[in-house]
Amino acid sequence: MIALLVLGALLFAGVMVVGTLAAVVGLLGFLIALPFRILGWTFKLLGLLLAIPFALIGLMLGGVGLAVGLGFALLPALPFIALVWLCWWLFAGRGKPTSQGSHASVIS
């Protein structure tokens, strides 16, 4: 019975040693790979900085294309817009009729 207890304690100690060695190897691997990760992040940031002007040019061209398409879509509405503008031009100059208001007051 004591032999099983000693064997269990030795097995536990062996697992602790193996786990500690695995943790040390993992930490060393991470520390070795860290400069390469930082270099990768730098290249990604550089790529993003290089891509921003091209993305802005693409967005501007897309906006121009959208405006042209919207213009062609609204082309059939031009006669109606002209009619509304003509009505506004004819009737906008007319204000309220100017009449002298009553100066009467109610006394209670």
Side-chain angles (χ1 to χ4, degrees), residues 2 11-13 16 25 34 37 50 54 58 60 72-74 78 83 89-90 104 107:
I2 300 276
L11 187 63
F12 180 72
M16 292 293 291
V25 168
L34 187 59
R37 287 185 183 196
L50 289 175
F54 293 108
M60 286 189 287
F72 280 125
L74 292 180
L78 280 180
L83 182 64
W89 180 69
L90 286 174
I107 299 174

Side-chain angles (χ1 to χ4, degrees), residues 1-67:
M1 193 58 109
I2 300 276
L4 286 177
L5 186 62
V6 171
L7 184 64
L10 287 175
L11 187 63
F12 180 72
V15 168
M16 292 293 291
V17 168
V18 170
T20 304
L21 288 176
V24 168
V25 168
L27 181 62
L28 286 176
F30 174 76
L31 290 177
I32 290 171
L34 187 59
F36 299 106
R37 287 185 183 196
I38 293 174
L39 191 62
W41 296 335
T42 306
F43 283 145
K44 281 184 184 179
L45 181 63
L46 182 64
L48 177 67
L49 290 177
L50 289 175
I52 286 175
F54 293 108
L56 290 176
I57 290 170
L59 286 172
M60 286 189 287
L61 289 176
V64 168
L66 186 65

